[in-house]
């Protein structure tokens, strides 16, 4: 399929937008009228630039409030249209989007609408232009695609067809099933946008919160599958109005958009099966089976005490770099004192994921436009398969200590036999939590979903003392890999730099024992206020002994229909803190209900190791 | 009236919030449960701190999902309530908020709800506690105040009454008129919040967009007048959930909140007339009658060429400071080369407003908590009446060249007779536009409305190439003083500092002559792309001659039902640019439709004088 995007989806000048779109490998572009009007480029300039960048101008948009009006308004509409046709001829564009009218002047009369659209199509035909008529979700009389299709049928002119837009259809919960009744050659254009489920007026939602397919909650792939079954052979074209994308760097947004289309085509292929051809497909996702390690950049000795107190054992040292390997069960932590010191102190720099096929994992990531990291780091290192996540975290694909593949652990001299690492109660890494810059949250969400094949969970808002924090977890089906993506509020005050906290959560099979061990070693856990425990008593009848234990050990508690969750936190060092969790039964969450008390306690404490 | 605020309205720890609330002069506070739970302060600590700060704990809130449930759920609710009563006794709080249930377990049975609430009230009475029952706008079965009042009547217990909340009533467009049928002593509490008109689900709206009365679009004063007519003598208590206030500095938000209540009481007094007593009232607003001057901080010579090209004459020099006075008609510009150089180059530092009574203007501002600036600047200066606006702009109240008052112009030696300043076509300052920091927009809006008595116009969103800009104008009834308040998006890229642009717009009686004069002097106006003019032709039939003139002189054009608007811009110097406007007929706007082309053109130009 040809891939296209509307210029309104990106930030910057029209020249910047075209460059970004061309650079990301699109085949075509929709020129949003306002972008042209405010530009110093003439239509001829735009035409040349687009051609130089290998971009077809697929659509000029939008033309508004044309149909079903009294004669004098019609005359004005036709006059306006002639002006647009002239601009389009200069642009070399042959398709114009006409939105269903929102004007109070419009009359609820399908025959009138059809007659006037036919007139417009006749005029357009004289210029070799085709009209794509689109039902806006908030159109005055025409607000869904089968109504628009009825009018197009009535108008019956070869230069008049439909434009379908996934947002306008799915946002109003209109069933896309009937699309299959439309001949493919009468669908002149297909615009695509996703959106997160938000409870608001559809127009407000559309103007501010659209996002690229795969970043929201609409079933865009299902709709595209319907459209392709008709034989539609025009482009898949993204049209996104998003307050954040308007502010983000256009090159990066264009790449993100392209990633979205690649992932979308793959999903459409799955949905449509053999009935649709011409879809390109990246190598299949390689779902990780667990965490291999978490790598913390920290000065020597900064984290040793903490890890030791949790029962970790320093089992190895890297042969060529100042990196220590700490282990307990299959939970492995690398402490790298050689990486460039962050001004904020210790930070989570990389995660390792167990992959059935590391090379295939990288191929998948590369096909989805993730930056692949150099495979060889040092002359004696084992080869590495790694990519950079959108927030800069390095993601390594590993096969740890398997006979069929070199293991990254081979680079480490064995200080202690790894059997010794089984002394404590910690069994594995339960999850990692990564704070995303506010303008890369959607991109990150798509990365973890499309590149790693993780599934998104519910989107949450967590009240921090200094703002609302958005959080969304992604995980494998079986929960073996869980990543909590947080996005911090912008922060109007000096403490805003506190917001980039990251953490690694370890699963313990006996959190009480881990907490006791930790405390006995003299390490400090995050202290939880007494008021929390008083309230816990009001909420749950836990029994006196258990209550005492929770309070004594600063354990937080949650339960859901499937099980229970116990957790505690270490103090924060630099940007990083550690969490110990115990899942009882089939609890699936992350203790989000306790996030406010954790965040308040963290803000209340002076931080260690901070710059 | 006693004045109170809910802790959830502010950012920070509970201790910070109490300090800020006490510091702003409130009489009382609502303790939001979550703020207590996450705090290291015990309830006794909170009680002591509040007492030390002179704050009564007016309410503990909220208790949820209690009424109209099956027996086992009731038992759990009563158990929870006993826990809350114990906390309240420790706090010294005697009023508890109970929200109408949102639980799926709740049964639609008013008698059951009443019976169970009576039971709760009986238990509460044993602790000397009163229950204030509130209809949430999204309550499962009870969602408006008269339904809640019916249930309270049925329950008929002295310790059960109503909590009214302006948001829950006005957001659903429930008529507050029937409040007058409720006996004042059965209204146990009154919570106040305003909100801007936004098209979304009421719960989402409530959680993110509430603001202080006078900052939004709800008629809070009308509702309060109804409540006070009943004889209600509890506090006026603000309860605001706002994503931005959560991030802002709590001291400042608390001051803003207090300003809102002072202005609200004044409005309520106007609405309720003699039927309500006990309202305090600030000195009445003194509506300004025009602009006296705009003061630009700029190095000597930086702006002289520009002002000269527009036809301004340098009519005076300050006796004791490096300040030049430029004039044309009654438009006066001070160029101050003595103020601390801004790193961004020239900036708009102050505006002067003509006031019928400058001292009374200052008294009004002071009563509304605006910082009053020192009255004497230098030993020989005329006394100044001035306050600081929330964004730091100094606002001077002036009587220019009137026999009844010393004039600020007396400080200036006369270089040229001011009669000479009437050579050009510019007559006066039409408006100034001030960019507000994103977290002070609501505060600024309230300042201009309450302190200066200006009226808000429609809120707009203007697409800039790098984000959406929010804009709202405030003006006097007659348009003599107009201020456009813009709030910039945060900006994710390097050019974000561009956003703090300010401008001064001068009215010309013949914009074509002013533009010609300007251009003839060799000065550069902001160049408007040809595409804009091509499109203007499509939109309006202006005639060939007028079109040619607009295009030649970079004039922008708008019209509304009342008249026409022509305007052009100078290049930007530092943070400042100038605009020349001509209003034809009774056009009331600011040419907002042209803002995108102006913003794009400004981004496209290299800036002069920038740091």
């Amino acid at each position: 399929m040809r891939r296209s995007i509307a210029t309104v989806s990106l930030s910057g000048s029209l020249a910047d937008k075209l460059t970004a779109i061309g650079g990301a490998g699109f085949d075509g572009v929709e020129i949003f009228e306002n972008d042209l009007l405010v530009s110093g480029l003439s239509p001829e300039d735009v035409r040349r630039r687009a051609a130089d960048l290998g971009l077809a101008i697929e659509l000029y948009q939008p033309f508004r409030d044309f149909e079903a009006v009294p004669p004098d308004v019609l005359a004005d509409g036709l006059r306006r249209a002639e002006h647009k046709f002239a601009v389009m001829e200069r642009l070399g564009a042959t398709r114009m989007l006409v939105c269903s009218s929102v004007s109070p002047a419009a009359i609820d009369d399908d025959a009138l609408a059809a007659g006037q659209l036919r007139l417009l199509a006749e005029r357009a035909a004289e210029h070799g232009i085709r009209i794509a008529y689109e039902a806006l979700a908030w159109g005055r009389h025409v607000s869904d695609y089968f109504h628009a299709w009825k009018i197009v049928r009535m108008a019956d002119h070869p230069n008049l067809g439909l434009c379908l837009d996934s947002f306008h259809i799915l946002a109003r919960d209109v069933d896309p099933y009937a699309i299959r009744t439309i001949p493919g050659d009468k669908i002149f254009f297909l615009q695509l946008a996703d959106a997160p489920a938000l409870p608001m007026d559809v127009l407000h939602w559309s103007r501010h919160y659209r996002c690229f397919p795969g970043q929201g909650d609409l079933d865009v792939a299902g709709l595209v599958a319907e459209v392709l079954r008709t034989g539609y052979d025009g482009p898949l074209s993204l049209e996104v109005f998003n307050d954040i994308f308007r502010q983000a760097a256009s090159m990066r947004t264009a790449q993100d958009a392209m990633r979205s289309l690649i992932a979308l085509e793959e999903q459409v292929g799955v949905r449509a099966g053999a009935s649709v051809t011409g879809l390109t497909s990246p190598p299949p996702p390689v779902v990780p089976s667990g965490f291999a390690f978490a790598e913390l950049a920290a000065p020597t000795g900064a984290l040793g005490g903490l890890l030791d107190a949790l029962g970790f054992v320093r089992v190895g040292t890297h042969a060529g770099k100042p990196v220590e390997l700490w282990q307990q069960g299959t939970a492995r932590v690398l402490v790298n004192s050689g990486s460039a010191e962050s001004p904020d102190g210790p930070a989570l720099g990389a995660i390792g994921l167990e992959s059935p096929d590391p090379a295939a994992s990288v191929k998948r990531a590369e096909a989805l436009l993730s930056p692949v990291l150099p495979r060889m780091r040092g002359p004696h290192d084992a080869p590495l398969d790694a990519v950079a996540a959108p927030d800069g975290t390095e993601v390594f694909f590993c096969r740890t200590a398997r006979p069929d593949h070199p293991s990254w652990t081979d680079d480490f001299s064995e200080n202690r036999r790894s059997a010794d690492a089984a002394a404590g109660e910690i069994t594995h890494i339960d999850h990692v939590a990564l704070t995303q810059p506010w303008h890369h949250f959607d991109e990150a969400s798509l990365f973890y979903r499309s590149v790693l094949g993780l599934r998104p969970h519910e989107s949450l808002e967590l009240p921090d003392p200094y703002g609302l924090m958005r959080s969304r977890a992604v995980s494998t089906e079986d929960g073996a890999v869980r990543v909590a993506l947080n996005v911090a509020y912008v922060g109007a005050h000096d403490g805003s730099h506190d917001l980039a906290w990251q953490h690694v959560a370890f699963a313990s099979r006996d959190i009480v024992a881990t907490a006791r061990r930790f405390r006995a070693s003299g390490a400090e856990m995050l202290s939880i206020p007494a008021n929390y425990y008083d309230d816990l008593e009001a909420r749950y009848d836990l029994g006196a002994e258990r209550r005492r234990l929770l309070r004594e050990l600063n354990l937080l508690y949650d339960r859901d229909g499937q099980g229970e969750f116990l957790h505690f936190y270490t103090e924060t060092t630099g940007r990083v803190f550690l969490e110990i969790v115990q899942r009882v039964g089939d609890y699936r969450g992350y203790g989000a209900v306790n996030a406010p008390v954790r965040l308040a306690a963290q803000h209340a404490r002076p931080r260690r190791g901070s710059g």
Side-chain angles (χ1 to χ4, degrees), chain A:
Chain A
M1 307 291 301
R2 300 203 305 283
R3 294 172 183 154
S4 163
I5 185 169
T7 53
V8 74
S9 315
L10 305 175
S11 74
S13 69
L14 183 53
D16 295 341
K17 293 174 189 221
L18 291 174
T19 304
I21 293 166
F26 281 88
D27 306 299
V29 65
E30 300 177 33
I31 302 289
F32 182 67
E33 180 171 71
N34 201 51
D35 284 326
L36 179 66
L37 299 190
V38 307
S39 172
L41 299 179
S42 70
E44 291 81 1
D45 292 338
V46 173
R47 177 184 199 150
R48 266 189 303 272
R49 287 220 187 188
D52 289 348
L53 292 160
L55 296 171
I57 297 183
E58 297 282 7
L59 190 76
Y60 186 68
Q61 63 121 329
F63 191 63
R64 297 183 191 278
D65 296 334
F66 173 79
E67 81 283 14
V69 290
D72 58 320
V73 182
L74 175 67
D76 184 63
L78 288 170
R79 192 183 64 76
R80 284 191 293 130
E82 288 296 342
H83 278 282
K84 307 296 173 189
F85 294 155
V87 171
M88 290 176 66
E89 287 186 323
R90 295 171 65 194
L91 279 171
T94 59
R95 199 155 20 190
M96 182 166 87
L97 177 71
V98 175
C99 300
S100 64
S101 181
V102 300
S103 166
I107 299 158
D108 189 7
D109 179 339
D110 291 348
L112 185 65
Q116 295 182 347
L117 283 168
R118 184 180 170 94
L119 202 57
L120 184 68
E122 284 166 1
R123 299 285 182 93
E126 291 165 19
H127 301 267
I129 286 171
R130 298 195 300 160
I131 303 294
Y133 180 58
E134 175 181 55
L136 295 181
W138 51 88
R140 188 163 170 83
H141 303 298
V142 178
S143 58
D144 61 53
Y145 71 87
F146 33 85
H147 193 174
W149 170 226
K150 177 186 169 201
I151 291 171
V152 167
R153 277 201 322 274
M154 289 168 76
D156 189 27
H157 191 284
N159 285 56
L160 181 69
L162 284 179
C163 173
L164 299 179
D165 181 310
S166 64
F167 182 87
H168 287 289
I169 297 169
L170 300 174
R172 286 194 52 226
D173 229 354
V174 174
D175 188 344
Y177 186 83
I179 291 172
R180 61 182 66 191
T181 64
I182 306 170
D185 62 359
K186 290 306 276 185
I187 301 174
F188 283 5
F189 208 70
L190 175 59
Q191 292 180 317
L192 301 175
D194 197 348
L198 285 172
M200 58 185 65
D201 172 79
V202 69
L203 175 56
H204 192 81
W205 190 23
S206 171
R207 284 202 178 148
H208 300 284
Y209 297 100
R210 288 186 181 206
C211 56
F212 296 126
Q215 296 177 338
D217 298 311
L218 303 180
D219 180 16
V220 181
L223 180 137
V224 175
E226 283 294 349
V227 175
L228 298 193
R229 278 197 197 99
T230 67
Y232 170 77
D233 64 355
L236 302 180
S237 190
L238 299 165
E239 191 207 27
V240 166
F241 303 87
N242 180 296
D243 284 2
I244 291 174
F245 295 170
R246 281 180 187 274
Q247 302 179 47
S250 56
M251 298 290 245
R252 190 154 172 171
T253 308
Q255 281 255 335
D256 192 28
M258 180 52 81
R259 179 182 300 127
S260 158
L261 278 186
I262 295 168
L264 178 71
E265 285 194 39
E266 178 182 45
Q267 281 181 63
V268 173
V270 171
R271 299 289 284 272
S275 66
V276 168
T277 55
L279 294 167
T280 56
S281 199
V286 182
V287 178
S289 60
F291 286 100
F293 64 82
E295 179 176 323
L296 302 170
T300 316
L303 295 170
L306 204 61
L307 291 167
D308 183 64
L310 288 168
F312 278 85
V313 174
R314 187 154 62 91
V315 299
T317 308
H318 194 277
K321 287 181 293 188
V323 180
E324 296 174 350
L325 169 59
W326 293 72
Q327 188 169 348
Q328 185 175 182
T330 64
R332 296 182 200 84
V333 178
L334 301 181
V335 181
N336 186 343
S337 58
S339 50
E341 178 94 15
S342 148
D344 296 322
L348 179 62
I351 56 174
L353 298 176
E354 297 291 352
S355 166
D357 184 344
S361 291
V362 166
K363 283 213 182 76
R364 168 78 179 175
E366 196 167 19
L368 284 152
L369 311 179
S370 298
V372 174
L373 301 177
R375 193 166 154 77
M376 299 303 292
R377 299 250 161 141
H380 304 296
D381 294 352
L384 295 171
D385 298 295
V387 299
D391 69 351
T393 304
E394 298 182 349
V395 179
F396 291 85
F397 301 104
C398 310
R399 282 186 73 69
T400 308
R402 302 288 182 102
D404 61 357
H405 197 273
S407 177
W408 60 277
T409 50
D410 297 345
D411 294 345
F412 289 81
S413 66
E414 207 168 298
N415 294 351
R416 301 270 295 267
R417 290 156 54 109
S418 43
D420 295 345
E425 306 78 20
I426 286 173
T427 52
H428 61 281
I429 295 176
D430 182 87
H431 65 277
V432 298
L434 302 171
T435 301
Q436 306 298 308
W438 61 271
H439 49 295
H440 294 154
F441 188 73
D442 287 325
E443 182 187 349
S445 166
L446 181 61
F447 169 83
Y448 288 100
R449 289 157 81 166
S450 68
V451 173
L452 302 182
L454 306 186
R455 293 160 50 106
H457 298 248
E458 189 189 5
S459 204
L460 302 171
E461 281 171 344
L462 311 175
D464 173 280
Y466 299 97
L468 279 185
M469 189 171 278
R470 225 169 113 203
S471 181
R472 185 164 209 178
V474 289
S475 78
T476 53
E477 195 73 37
D478 63 0
V481 173
R482 295 180 169 101
V483 180
L485 301 172
N486 299 322
V487 66
Y489 47 90
V490 172
H493 64 100
D494 293 342
S496 307
H497 66 280
D498 284 357
L499 301 171
W501 287 330
Q502 304 164 319
H503 76 264
V504 184
F506 300 106
S508 170
R509 73 171 92 86
D510 181 351
I511 197 167
V512 170
T514 304
R516 291 225 159 103
R517 166 198 299 275
F518 186 69
R519 173 163 286 184
S521 80
E524 275 195 75
M525 44 185 47
L526 184 71
S527 175
I528 302 302
N531 297 340
Y532 171 80
Y533 295 100
D534 290 345
D535 185 61
L536 209 54
E537 213 169 309
R539 286 192 287 145
Y540 301 116
D541 200 0
L542 293 171
E545 172 54 19
R546 201 154 184 213
R547 279 206 311 267
R548 199 193 50 71
L549 209 60
L550 294 176
R551 193 184 288 253
E552 176 202 329
L553 295 171
N554 287 299
L555 297 179
L556 296 157
Y557 177 83
D558 189 29
R559 71 162 67 139
D560 65 14
Q562 279 72 50
E564 291 178 306
F565 190 62
L566 295 142
H567 53 143
F568 76 89
Y569 295 93
T570 69
E571 293 282 357
T572 303
T573 303
R575 288 181 62 190
V576 177
F577 60 91
L578 306 178
E579 179 183 8
I580 315 302
V581 312
Q582 184 171 8
R583 295 175 184 274
V584 182
D586 197 22
Y587 178 93
R588 290 290 178 96
Y590 300 81
V593 68
N594 297 322
V597 68
R598 186 257 296 174
L599 289 161
Q602 288 175 323
H603 280 289
R605 299 289 302 178
R607 289 166 65 206
R608 298 187 305 159
S610 169

